[in-house]
Amino acid sequence: MRSFDAIFDIAADRKGGAAILETLLERPKPQADIRQIPDDRWLAAMARGVFQAGFSWKVIDAKWPGFETAFQGFDPAPVAFYHDEDIDRLISDKGIVRHGPKIQSVIENARFVMDIANEHGSFGAFVAEWPDDDFVGLTGVLKKRGSRLGGNTGPYMLRSMGVDSFILSRDVVGRLVAEGVIDKTPTSQKALKATQAAFNTWRSQSGRSLTEISRVLAMSL
């Protein structure tokens, strides 16, 4: 496995130099800011991620005000208790994408957000307190306890909220394979742990965030 500096140099050569590469890197929010994000914004981010999966992101963006209205601003308390009548209303609402299973996932994720908030004070506190060397563990919680938050949906949602994160996109996986960390998209616990270990090593070498490292890996191919 090459050092982070070596991979950074590869990405910099591809993008026209280190200075240009630096401008393309995202940085995560401070944990104090993550902690302050209200629960309704976490539920909204989950809903957006779920609905964007398999749909045009532009369509979801254009309809998003309708989603905010239809789901009462994504306040988890009322959404968690939606019944059949509410689902019928939403399926008939032309202001949103009328996809029954995804609508149901918003309700299930409202319950998930409330459960986590009851356990940790708020969903933001839960995310902020999660160990920063175990991102795969955090995404595992989303997959296990949330609805339709597996694959890259959960990581993309966390990234959209400013959480320090890596996303196993095609290019990131390609770099991990090239470095001998994994041999394909990681799905097993063994492969995910190897992926986390590689990111932790590169973070230790560089002092950079997981988010920055992930972007460098993606741009190195």
Side-chain angles (χ1 to χ4, degrees):
M1 186 174 87
R2 273 173 276 208
S3 68
F4 177 78
D5 284 347
I7 297 172
F8 183 92
D9 288 344
I10 294 171
D13 287 342
R14 292 192 68 254
K15 294 299 179 180
I20 294 175
L21 178 59
E22 290 287 358
T23 67
L24 301 175
L25 301 183
E26 300 173 59
R27 272 82 179 181
K29 291 180 179 178
Q31 288 188 331
D33 290 353
I34 298 295
R35 181 183 293 274
Q36 296 303 315
I37 298 173
D39 289 341
D40 62 278
R41 292 305 88 198
W42 290 103
L43 180 58
M46 292 177 190
R48 185 186 285 267
V50 168
F51 275 93
Q52 284 178 336
F55 283 90
S56 166
W57 289 27
K58 290 183 179 180
V59 170
I60 303 303
D61 287 345
K63 286 181 173 286
W64 197 249
F67 279 92
E68 290 280 353
T69 299
F71 286 98
Q72 297 178 261
F74 291 101
D75 182 349
V79 176
F81 293 98
Y82 278 2
H83 295 293
D84 291 345
E85 296 82 1
D86 297 291
I87 296 175
D88 290 342
R89 168 179 62 81
L90 291 165
I91 290 176
S92 301
D93 190 335
K94 295 181 180 180
I96 66 173
V97 173
R98 295 172 290 175
H99 186 291
K102 293 190 176 189
I103 289 171
Q104 182 63 42
S105 79
V106 179
I107 301 170
E108 293 169 2
N109 282 328
R111 296 166 185 163
F112 168 47
V113 169
M114 289 185 66
D115 287 344
I116 292 292
N118 287 334
E119 295 166 11
H120 297 271
S122 70
F123 199 90
F126 163 71
V127 175
E129 292 165 3
W130 192 269
D132 58 9
D133 61 353
D134 185 29
F135 183 67
V136 298
L138 177 58
T139 59
V141 173
L142 297 182
K143 179 180 179 180
K144 182 178 180 180
R145 297 184 61 177
S147 176
R148 304 176 78 98
L149 297 177
N152 276 335
T153 301
Y156 271 117
M157 182 277 293
L158 293 170
R159 174 72 62 82
S160 75
M161 299 299 280
V163 177
D164 195 12
S165 54
F166 57 82
I167 294 172
L168 296 175
S169 65
R170 181 182 62 183
D171 288 341
V172 171
V173 170
R175 175 51 60 190
L176 291 168
V177 170
E179 298 307 314
V181 177
I182 52 177
D183 58 7
K184 60 181 180 179
T185 300
T187 54
S188 69
Q189 286 301 307
K190 180 179 180 180
L192 289 170
K193 287 180 180 179
T195 298
Q196 181 72 65
F199 271 91
N200 289 346
T201 296
W202 287 321
R203 186 176 61 173
S204 177
Q205 291 172 350
S206 66
R208 291 180 180 268
S209 65
L210 299 177
T211 301
E212 292 171 278
I213 295 168
S214 180
R215 292 290 293 144
V216 169
L217 265 59
M219 289 186 283
S220 70
L221 288 182

